[in-house]
Amino acid sequence: MTEKMKIGNREFVFGKHVYIMGILNVTPDSFSDGGKFNTMDQAMAQVEKMIAQGADLIDVGGESTRPGHQQITEEEEIERVVPVIQKIKETFDIPVSIDTYKSKVAKAALDAGADMLNDIWGFLYDEKMAELAATYDVPVCLMHNRNNTEYGDFVRDVVEDLKKCLAVAEKHGVKKENIILDPGVGFGKTYEQNLAIINHLEALCDMGYPVLLATSRKSVIGLTLDLPVTEREEGTIATSVMGAMKGCDFVRVHDVQANARALKMTEAILYEEEKRK
């Protein structure tokens, strides 16, 4: 198991703490906060707020990847994310991740100061992403994804799919200690499958890599609670707590403060025996 990882100038140590990746969508059409952080001032205010509330790194996305989203050009995506990444790096001392599956966008983001790649296709959409990760020697989050929801043995198939991503990473020379895995909640899965992968996160944790759980405000929560996207904070917190209990190392969330508090409480309980020694 990867015990620690350098992202930007920070060291992340795994096994006893869940780190928080704060979401910054600079898109007009994101499913949960589209258009809210489109201006530079709005974006920087949100970053400042998330850092104050406990974010350990910031994930910048320039294209909505919600189901049925409209794909935009690489140029448009670059225009959205590069100035924001540059400004975050100038203004704050926090690692920045770029949420993209396109190598041209990823390269522009890395050149602008991004410290990490977050690829919703796990190198399977654009293999040049793997080349970039190796060349720039940066951490990468490889997410499970599929174009369909047809599985045999669901959890085992997810693990096997992720092994394909890992094979691409290895082929291009990406270091094992630079890899994080993401179960891909909300991508290539039915409602029941989304619940199942959260319930069986240990299958991913057992693969020997840090695991990032990204469920924030997603449809699996909306369908379970029958609530709109604006009222899914408690549901998200429940999944973050489950993630901590299953062995996840990161959660990717919109509502940093509430999740940070819930995770702090969860960790106090999980590791109370050590505190007594």
Side-chain angles (χ1 to χ4, degrees):
M1 169 69 189
T2 303
E3 291 180 359
K4 56 187 178 181
M5 177 182 288
K6 195 103 181 286
I7 307 177
N9 63 0
R10 290 204 192 170
E11 189 172 75
F12 292 74
V13 181
F14 305 124
K16 296 285 169 63
H17 179 61
V18 181
Y19 294 97
I20 295 183
M21 174 185 274
I23 300 168
L24 183 70
N25 287 317
V26 286
T27 58
D29 59 343
S30 168
F31 82 96
S32 71
D33 53 8
K36 279 181 78 174
F37 310 116
N38 272 2
T39 73
M40 189 64 78
D41 286 349
Q42 288 170 324
M44 291 310 109
Q46 179 65 2
V47 172
E48 186 172 27
K49 177 182 170 186
M50 289 194 288
I51 293 171
Q53 292 179 344
D56 298 291
L57 61 164
I58 303 294
D59 191 43
V60 177
E63 176 183 273
S64 173
T65 52
R66 73 190 194 288
H69 76 281
Q70 185 68 43
Q71 191 175 43
I72 61 171
T73 66
E74 292 168 329
E75 288 70 29
E76 191 176 348
E77 197 173 338
I78 288 167
E79 280 172 23
R80 288 179 184 178
V81 300
V82 162
V84 171
I85 291 167
Q86 287 173 332
K87 189 71 173 173
I88 294 172
K89 297 305 290 185
E90 283 169 20
T91 314
F92 306 103
D93 178 24
I94 192 161
V96 172
S97 162
I98 175 66
D99 178 6
T100 189
Y101 51 92
K102 304 167 193 166
S103 58
K104 192 172 176 183
V105 177
K107 185 177 188 308
L110 290 168
D111 289 340
D115 305 292
M116 172 178 159
L117 302 178
N118 184 12
D119 184 353
I120 64 160
W121 279 104
F123 292 160
L124 300 182
Y125 177 88
D126 181 351
E127 276 201 28
K128 287 181 183 170
M129 290 286 288
E131 289 175 26
L132 278 175
T135 303
Y136 283 76
D137 192 23
V138 291
V140 60
C141 183
L142 304 177
M143 193 189 87
H144 176 265
N145 207 340
R146 270 194 184 197
N147 283 317
N148 60 70
T149 58
E150 293 155 25
Y151 299 84
D153 182 328
F154 171 65
V155 175
R156 190 191 69 198
D157 289 355
V158 169
V159 170
E160 290 304 312
D161 286 352
L162 282 168
K163 285 180 181 175
K164 293 173 191 169
C165 301
L166 292 168
V168 175
E170 186 178 4
K171 181 174 91 174
H172 290 285
V174 178
K175 293 175 184 169
K176 182 179 177 182
E177 60 266 28
N178 270 349
I179 295 173
I180 299 165
L181 299 179
D182 177 344
V185 172
F187 292 83
K189 296 169 190 69
T190 64
Y191 168 70
E192 292 80 10
Q193 288 165 349
N194 283 316
L195 291 174
I197 202 62
I198 297 168
N199 194 30
H200 295 282
L201 283 166
E202 65 277 3
L204 265 73
C205 296
D206 289 347
M207 292 177 73
Y209 297 86
V211 171
L212 178 146
L213 180 63
T215 59
S216 191
R217 302 180 185 172
K218 287 186 176 175
S219 63
V220 65
I221 297 166
L223 290 167
T224 301
L225 303 179
D226 191 22
L227 288 172
V229 74
T230 51
E231 295 181 39
R232 298 178 187 172
E233 187 176 5
E234 298 93 341
T236 301
I237 291 167
T239 62
S240 293
V241 170
M242 284 289 293
M245 294 175 74
K246 294 281 185 180
C248 285
D249 302 284
F250 296 90
V251 291
R252 179 182 178 274
V253 297
H254 299 85
D255 305 295
V256 172
Q257 182 169 272
N259 283 274
R261 288 174 176 173
L263 285 166
K264 188 175 182 180
M265 190 70 227
T266 306
E267 289 165 6
I269 297 165
L270 287 176
Y271 306 117
E272 56 84 21
E273 289 179 3
E274 292 173 26
K275 287 184 168 64
R276 283 191 279 129
K277 286 175 184 170

